[in-house]
């Protein structure tokens, strides 16, 4: 157990819908990262937040947005869902912003868009 | 941006043999190279990492080497065991890129008993 929690574990929804994925970082970690893992794209970085502020964006679609709240938990919002958005979404956390800070991954949320 | 390539995509070895997975990266500013192991349906877990100022690091049966000049780094697993069977990902990261991990495509390692 990494100490990072994600809810829900599984999510099944229809095209065009909107969903929210939630992540709670390890106690004391200020950085939260979101990654998408799909069969064709592999593991891809989406976005990084540090203490409530956005630090970096990867190839995140405009239909996707995220935020980190004052209690440091983070939410990833996916809207106008398409079949291709079906994937495993991981949240990771680390203590700071140094590249050497290990990123601890949560168990993931499996999203299925029908 | 950074691009990480990983080879081979699948690797099958006999128990007790060694396994080597190779990665190349494109951005010379990358300064940290972690390796993750992912079992089916589970989260990636860090197994070993190396910083850009180090050429080699070893932890029991696992070692990683880094050639900064050639922008290559490799994972070596000796005396493989069936429980080593998993997908292994290399990654590269640097401070200037917001700490985003850029992953290789993964290697599915199968250790046959």
């Amino acid at each position: 157990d990494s100490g990072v929690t994600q809810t829900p574990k599984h999510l099944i929804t229809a095209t065009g819908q909107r969903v929210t994925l939630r992540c709670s970082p390890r106690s004391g970690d200020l950085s939260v990262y979101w990654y998408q893992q799909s069969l064709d794209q592999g593991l891809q970085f989406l976005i990084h937040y540090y203490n409530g502020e956005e630090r970096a964006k990867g190839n995140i679609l405009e239909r996707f947005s995220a935020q980190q709240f004052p209690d440091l938990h983070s939410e990833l919002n996916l809207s106008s869902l398409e079949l291709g958005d079906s994937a495993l979404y991981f949240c990771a956390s680390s203590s700071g912003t140094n590249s050497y800070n290990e990123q601890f991954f949560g168990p993931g949320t499996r999203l299925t868009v029908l | 941006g950074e691009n990480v390539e990983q080879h081979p995509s699948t690797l099958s070895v006999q128990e007790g043999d060694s396994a080597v997975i190779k990665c190349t990266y494109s951005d010379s500013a990358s300064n940290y190279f972690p390796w993750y192991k992912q079992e089916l349906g589970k989260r990636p877990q860090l197994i070993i990492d190396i910083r850009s100022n180090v050429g080699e690091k070893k932890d029991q049966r696992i070692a990683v080497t880094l050639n900064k000049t050639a922008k290559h780094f490799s994972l070596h697993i000796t005396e493989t065991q069936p429980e080593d069977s998993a997908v292994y990902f290399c990654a590269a990261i640097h401070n200037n890129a917001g700490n985003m991990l850029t992953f290789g495509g993964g290697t599915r390692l199968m250790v046959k008993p």
Side-chain angles (χ1 to χ4, degrees), chain A residues 1-2 33 35 37 43-45 48 55-58 88 90 96-103 105-107 110, chain B residues 31-32 36 38 41-46 49 51-53 89 93-95 97-105:
Chain A
D1 185 2
S2 66
Y33 311 81
Y35 294 89
Q37 185 172 34
L43 261 166
Q44 287 205 316
F45 168 79
H48 169 206
R55 279 302 182 100
K57 265 186 177 181
L88 196 51
F90 287 106
T97 59
N98 191 300
S99 60
Y100 301 146
N101 297 139
E102 180 180 347
Q103 294 185 27
F105 282 74
R110 183 170 295 281
Chain B
N31 61 355
Y32 176 63
Y36 286 85
Q38 186 179 29
K42 297 196 174 179
R43 61 187 176 91
Q45 287 188 274
L46 180 73
D49 56 16
R51 300 186 181 190
S52 58
N53 60 348
F89 291 94
I93 191 172
H94 66 77
N95 272 336
N99 285 358
M100 67 175 184
L101 284 165
T102 301
F103 287 92

Side-chain angles (χ1 to χ4, degrees), chain B residues 65-79:
Chain B
T65 59
L66 171 65
N67 182 330
K68 278 178 58 180
T69 304
K71 299 199 192 81
H72 289 173
F73 57 115
S74 300
L75 177 71
H76 304 253
I77 305 174
T78 59
E79 301 171 22

Side-chain angles (χ1 to χ4, degrees), chain B residues 1-68:
Chain B
E2 176 66 277
N3 181 50
V4 177
E5 296 194 355
Q6 183 172 345
H7 299 281
S9 56
T10 59
L11 180 58
S12 181
V13 300
Q14 286 294 136
E15 182 177 359
D17 287 350
S18 294
V20 180
I21 302 171
K22 297 183 178 182
C23 290
T24 60
Y25 62 99
S26 61
D27 192 337
S28 57
S30 289
N31 61 355
Y32 176 63
F33 306 91
W35 285 86
Y36 286 85
K37 176 183 180 182
Q38 186 179 29
E39 296 177 357
L40 189 61
K42 297 196 174 179
R43 61 187 176 91
Q45 287 188 274
L46 180 73
I47 56 170
I48 196 167
D49 56 16
I50 191 165
R51 300 186 181 190
S52 58
N53 60 348
V54 176
E56 185 172 356
K57 183 177 178 180
K58 189 173 181 180
D59 183 4
Q60 300 181 345
R61 296 187 297 109
I62 295 173
V64 59
T65 59
L66 171 65
N67 182 330
K68 278 178 58 180

Side-chain angles (χ1 to χ4, degrees), chain A residues 33-51:
Chain A
Y33 311 81
W34 286 97
Y35 294 89
Q36 179 194 58
Q37 185 172 34
S38 60
L39 285 174
D40 56 343
Q41 297 287 334
L43 261 166
Q44 287 205 316
F45 168 79
L46 295 178
I47 199 162
H48 169 206
Y49 277 86
Y50 175 76
N51 203 21

